[in-house]
Amino acid sequence: MMNDIQVDTPALLIDRKILKQNITSMQEYADRKGVNLRPHTKTHKMPKLAKMQMEAGAAGITVAKVGEAEVMAEAGIRDIFIANQIIGRSKVGRIRKLSESVSISFGVDSIYSVKEIDEVFEGADEKANVMIEIEVGEKRSGIIQPDDFTALLDEIKNSRNVSFKGVFSHDGHTYKAQTTDELKELYDDSSARTLHFAGLARNHGMECEVVSIGSTPPFVLGFDIPEGITEIRPGTYILMDGSQANVLGHNDTCAATILTTIISKPTDERVITDVGAKGITQQHRKVGLTATKGLGKVVGFDDVHVDSVFDEHAIIYDKNFSDEVEIGEKVEIIMNHICPVSNLYEKAYIVENGEVVDEAAVSARGKLQ
């Protein structure tokens, strides 16, 4: 299925109808389950899309970096959670500055961090609001041992300028589940572990205002949310991608694609397009429901994938595909992982019925600090 949208390629496209459906569907799910939705905007890094999520009913947004928080705050969003450990006095100082105009909280998992925050926030009008991250199986950051958790609670309690807001976790290891049943088991275990630590905090005299969990697969599959969870933080759901689409078994919710031009056909089966690693990345998932074939799916063609990429070239080997396309024609590719792809583009073109109807600046791209 060739595309005649008149924009230079490679370009990031967003289908407006699917975008709105995805936003509405997740908000309705959160509302039915009685929890707040705080979408992770690192997926798109676009204030325009974040505002759409807020207008649909989101309680606030999640970001990964202080720089992303600054961009979103400048755009007028007033409730932000940085789901990450922020280490470094200069970064903590920037959060202190943000706290003067927005409601902002951020993650901790060490006494070192709390001590640093306490020092930087000395004399501030408001205390720093922190959430303790709980490691639930992803083998990334977060508290693992209960003793370390209570020691961290004590450090916060004894500080002058740090306030405990709650706990959060990320069950990213659910992406590797081989079946939906296994995915649910991992999700249930992660939720239970998060709630267990919330209970430890309560027993320690420090009630959790927020108990936050998040990753896209359990929520697009409609899993129940255990009592005691107050907030969910999915990110990818708004645009989706090849790996998340594999969980559902279809591409119908994929709002984002890369528009790319056929620039060469060196052999009967080799087709070259103008998007390389700098526009699509080399990411793929190797195991589980989210496992991907190749480096991106070509829209409208059965089982045609990007086989490899150079910096500026995508390589596709498929004789039937080659027979159907000509140099100069454009095709769309569903990327394997949308979050890093968004970071590669200055703007996205919002399209409807084959025409560009709007644009969205990727204002938080490159905000890694």
Side-chain angles (χ1 to χ4, degrees):
M1 184 169 62
M2 274 59 75
N3 195 308
D4 59 359
I5 291 177
Q6 297 304 305
V7 299
D8 282 337
T9 61
L12 179 61
L13 305 184
I14 298 174
D15 184 291
R16 183 163 69 175
K17 182 179 179 181
I18 299 175
L19 171 72
K20 289 183 175 181
Q21 288 174 342
N22 290 347
I23 291 172
T24 300
S25 177
M26 187 59 72
Q27 187 63 56
E28 289 177 346
Y29 166 80
D31 292 344
R32 285 197 308 273
K33 301 300 182 182
V35 297
N36 287 330
L37 173 62
R38 184 179 293 275
H40 207 317
T41 61
K42 76 178 179 67
T43 292
H44 53 75
K45 291 175 171 276
M46 305 177 206
K48 182 186 288 285
L49 270 56
K51 288 182 176 181
M52 291 175 68
Q53 292 171 304
M54 292 292 293
E55 289 164 3
I61 65 165
T62 306
V63 298
K65 300 287 186 172
V66 180
E68 292 176 344
E70 290 167 336
V71 168
M72 294 299 176
E74 186 177 353
I77 293 175
R78 290 290 173 261
D79 196 324
I80 302 171
F81 170 50
I82 308 174
N84 207 344
Q85 289 71 36
I86 306 301
I87 302 295
R89 294 180 65 89
S90 64
K91 291 186 179 71
V92 177
R94 287 158 61 195
I95 293 176
R96 173 176 168 166
K97 179 67 175 176
L98 281 169
S99 72
E100 296 173 1
S101 59
V102 303
S103 173
I104 190 162
S105 56
F106 56 109
V108 298
D109 71 355
S110 68
I111 288 174
Y112 176 98
S113 180
V114 174
K115 287 183 180 294
E116 184 174 67
I117 296 164
D118 197 31
E119 292 174 3
V120 173
F121 269 74
E122 182 65 37
D125 291 338
E126 301 287 341
K127 289 186 176 183
N129 290 311
V130 301
M131 300 266 290
I132 296 179
E133 182 175 15
I134 309 302
E135 213 284 274
V136 292
E138 189 176 28
K139 297 184 179 179
R140 202 170 67 178
S141 52
I143 288 289
I144 298 172
Q145 299 299 331
D147 287 349
D148 292 333
F149 183 65
T150 53
L152 189 53
L153 287 173
D154 286 338
E155 185 67 31
I156 294 171
K157 184 186 293 184
N158 295 329
S159 70
R160 292 193 298 183
N161 305 301
V162 184
S163 177
F164 175 66
K165 190 170 184 179
V167 297
F168 74 104
S169 64
H170 180 248
D171 54 320
H173 57 306
T174 58
Y175 295 3
K176 297 181 180 180
Q178 297 288 342
T179 65
T180 301
D181 287 343
E182 183 187 355
L183 196 157
K184 189 174 187 308
E185 182 178 352
L186 291 172
Y187 162 75
D188 287 343
D189 289 348
S190 297
S191 300
R193 179 170 168 82
T194 307
L195 286 166
H196 173 68
F197 277 87
L200 291 178
R202 185 184 312 113
N203 293 338
H204 207 65
M206 299 175 72
E207 190 74 31
C208 292
E209 176 188 340
V210 177
V211 180
S212 180
I213 62 174
S215 75
T216 287
F219 307 136
V220 295
L221 288 170
F223 291 168
D224 285 335
I225 298 175
E227 185 176 353
I229 300 297
T230 68
E231 175 181 278
I232 59 174
R233 305 185 325 277
T236 307
Y237 79 92
I238 185 174
L239 297 178
M240 294 293 278
D241 53 31
S243 62
Q244 299 287 357
N246 288 344
V247 175
L248 298 176
H250 60 76
N251 301 325
D252 296 349
T253 59
C254 289
T257 57
I258 297 166
L259 186 67
T260 182
T261 301
I262 310 296
I263 60 171
S264 178
K265 294 173 61 177
T267 73
D268 287 345
E269 63 174 357
R270 188 195 310 160
V271 179
I272 315 297
T273 87
D274 66 351
V275 63
K278 293 178 182 178
I280 196 171
T281 81
Q282 298 186 63
Q283 284 205 331
H284 64 282
R285 299 195 190 276
K286 297 179 181 179
V287 297
L289 291 169
T290 59
T292 55
K293 181 178 179 181
L295 299 179
K297 306 175 183 179
V298 182
V299 175
F301 293 89
D302 247 1
D303 202 32
V304 177
H305 300 78
V306 175
D307 290 277
S308 62
V309 292
F310 291 83
D311 284 352
E312 311 293 355
H313 301 77
I315 316 299
I316 300 167
Y317 285 98
D318 190 284
K319 178 67 164 59
N320 292 332
F321 176 67
S322 180
D323 288 344
E324 291 190 44
V325 298
E326 300 295 339
I327 293 173
E329 292 180 339
K330 298 172 184 175
V331 295
E332 292 176 65
I333 296 174
I334 298 173
M335 66 293 293
N336 287 341
H337 187 188
I338 179 60
C339 302
V341 170
S342 294
N343 193 52
L344 300 175
Y345 292 84
E346 294 180 342
K347 64 181 175 182
Y349 295 94
I350 299 177
V351 300
E352 189 167 19
N353 298 324
E355 295 185 0
V356 176
V357 294
D358 202 356
E359 295 181 3
V362 190
S363 304
R365 72 185 298 262
K367 301 297 184 182
L368 305 180
Q369 297 178 340

